[in-house]
Amino acid sequence: MFRLTDFTYEGKTVFLRADLNSPVENGRITSDARFRAVLPTIRHLLEDGAKVVVATHQSRPYKGDYITTEEHAEILSRLLNQEVEYVEDIFGKNARERIGALKPGEVIMLENLRFSAEEVFYKPIEECEKTFFVRKLTPLIDYVVNDAFAAAHRSQPSLVGFARLKPMIMGELLEAEVDALSRAYESDDRPRVYILGGAKVDDSLRVAENVLRNGKADLILTGGLVGQIFTLAKGFDLGDANVGFLHRKGLLELVDWAERILDEFYPYVRTPVDFAVDYHEERLEVDLLGGDKRLFDEYPILDIGSRTVEKYREILDSAKIIVANGPMGVFEREGFAHGTVGVFRAIGESPAFSIVGGGHSIASVYRYNITGISHVSTGGGAMLSFFAGEELPVLKALEISYERFREGTDKPKTELSLLFHQ
């Protein structure tokens, strides 16, 4: 796959697909973490004399954080210490004229890509090529740089549509992500521990099944709703309040799948030994073996308990590889952050090569100033797809583009290995 250093960009127009999709409260962006993550790529392009067209999506139609990219341009301007002009258009006449008028060293920000209906659906490369978005912009750009690892599991026009039409290049963030995840997945160091939490239960089950069946993990620790589903699969009763909640979320149907994983890999999947419930706005821990489990009938589980944190800490202390996705509980509430903070701090203190990913996981790492983690991934869904052994459309598109354009680069290339597993 192409890297940034394989080309020179003086006077060239570069379409930079980033993922600046950020949390929003009261109509304002509350974190600039994803903006900071793409700064090295943008600075590399600007220092080389490129004309940069930044494109990103923000949320989905009809959601509360579905906003324009005007504030995205403001944030990027502040971080780059130069103007990033917001263009209230995606591929229409206004956008095309502004792209055509760009001068070397200038940056513009296109409108939220998901304001275009073509960008909402997943289609193969062949169909993405035919979209108005790709057909209108292709004549105006020289290179496509993709730094949107968090969207790498999606096949949409802005992500894969240019692959056979223009050289498509990994940005520095995407390259670092793929290198780190490949290192963890392919490593023979042992023990290799995966921590699966949060609410993406089906994705986590796919990861568990893949890494255990293919000998990529020695142990899996669970928390969040993932931990609750595995706990039910082990035959424990989590009470009316919690079983009812899982039912409303449509997650109870996954218990059978979790049971099948346990039947095949039982000793290698660990579940919480205690949970913390919201008992009249206070944290109350309930032991699965010796506690008053009747509390589960009335009070919701919002975290793993202290004994579980200590058991997980002992395991993580001796790990060589750690991959974690998703929090252990509702860390946004201070009284129920103990599990997530305790486990993530144990990851940071471990000598292992460690990766933590997922939007909520990243938020907790920064909120509680947790240090020592080797790599904090910007992609939750993409990271889960990677470790589930699934092909990521963006990485496949990068490979296709490399094969098509590798004879036309400006600089002699070093050997480029395939950075992702089949």
Side-chain angles (χ1 to χ4, degrees), residues 139 147-148 214 266 315 323 325 330 333 335 338 342 344 383-384:
D147 226 7
N214 290 291
Y266 178 77
I315 292 167
V323 175
N325 189 289
V330 185
R333 289 184 57 180
H338 175 75
F344 285 3
M383 177 175 154
L384 287 170

Side-chain angles (χ1 to χ4, degrees), residues 37-328:
V38 299
L39 289 179
T41 294
I42 298 176
R43 286 178 175 143
H44 180 107
L45 293 171
L46 293 176
E47 288 168 5
D48 212 22
K51 311 169 187 179
V52 181
V53 180
V54 181
T56 184
H57 68 278
Q58 173 63 42
S59 189
R60 300 175 189 274
Y62 306 111
K63 296 188 72 174
D65 55 350
Y66 186 58
I67 60 175
T68 75
T69 54
E70 186 170 8
E71 188 182 3
H72 297 69
E74 293 171 2
I75 293 171
L76 203 53
S77 297
R78 172 172 52 81
L79 294 175
L80 286 172
N81 197 29
Q82 76 169 73
E83 181 186 9
V84 175
E85 180 186 339
Y86 163 63
V87 177
E88 197 175 356
D89 192 8
I90 300 172
F91 59 82
K93 183 179 179 182
N94 183 31
R96 298 199 308 273
E97 287 181 350
R98 188 64 191 89
I99 292 171
L102 272 172
K103 296 182 175 62
E106 289 186 339
V107 189
I108 62 172
M109 170 80 68
L110 297 182
E111 182 57 278
N112 185 347
L113 292 173
R114 288 189 179 164
F115 283 11
S116 167
E118 292 177 327
E119 188 69 12
V120 176
F121 300 102
Y122 298 179
K123 297 290 182 181
I125 286 178
E126 294 78 9
E127 292 190 43
C128 288
E129 283 179 351
K130 299 173 184 176
T131 60
F132 287 104
F133 173 83
V134 172
R135 286 160 51 198
K136 293 282 189 180
L137 293 190
T138 295
L140 302 172
I141 60 179
D142 298 296
Y143 299 116
V144 174
V145 173
N146 195 302
D147 226 7
F149 176 75
H153 56 311
R154 301 188 178 113
S155 185
Q156 294 168 313
S158 69
L159 292 163
V160 304
F162 297 104
R164 301 192 301 183
L165 306 173
K166 298 289 178 178
M168 184 172 164
I169 305 155
M170 289 189 294
E172 291 189 21
L173 170 63
L174 187 98
E175 182 179 342
E177 291 273 17
V178 175
D179 283 344
L181 271 59
S182 297
R183 174 179 171 183
Y185 188 82
E186 300 297 342
S187 176
D188 292 324
D189 292 342
R190 305 181 73 168
R192 296 156 297 181
V193 181
Y194 281 64
I195 305 169
L196 300 176
K200 294 181 178 178
V201 180
D202 52 348
D203 291 339
S204 295
L205 293 178
R206 278 194 286 273
V207 172
E209 206 165 47
N210 178 64
V211 296
L212 289 170
R213 186 161 292 149
N214 290 291
K216 301 297 184 181
D218 300 298
L219 204 59
I220 289 178
L221 312 180
T222 64
L225 298 185
V226 179
Q228 292 184 40
I229 291 297
F230 270 113
T231 300
L232 290 174
K234 283 186 173 181
F236 290 96
D237 183 7
L238 294 181
D240 293 344
N242 297 290
V243 172
F245 174 79
L246 295 169
H247 174 68
R248 292 191 296 275
K249 286 286 187 180
L251 298 177
L252 284 184
E253 61 193 42
L254 299 176
V255 172
D256 289 344
W257 185 2
E259 283 183 4
R260 292 195 296 272
I261 293 173
L262 291 173
D263 286 344
E264 189 173 352
F265 305 106
Y266 178 77
Y268 310 114
V269 180
R270 304 290 171 85
T271 54
V273 296
D274 57 350
F275 289 100
V277 299
D278 181 3
Y279 182 74
H280 302 297
E281 302 295 319
E282 296 290 335
R283 178 187 181 96
L284 179 64
E285 297 193 356
V286 181
D287 195 291
L288 271 183
L289 295 179
D292 186 356
K293 292 187 287 297
R294 291 175 300 177
L295 292 165
F296 292 148
D297 286 327
E298 294 185 53
Y299 304 104
I301 293 170
L302 298 187
D303 196 11
I304 59 174
S306 301
R307 282 213 310 129
T308 302
V309 173
E310 288 311 307
K311 285 182 175 292
Y312 285 2
R313 179 183 293 277
E314 291 173 10
I315 292 167
L316 297 171
D317 281 345
S318 60
K320 292 293 190 294
I321 299 289
I322 299 171
V323 175
N325 189 289
M328 298 292 99

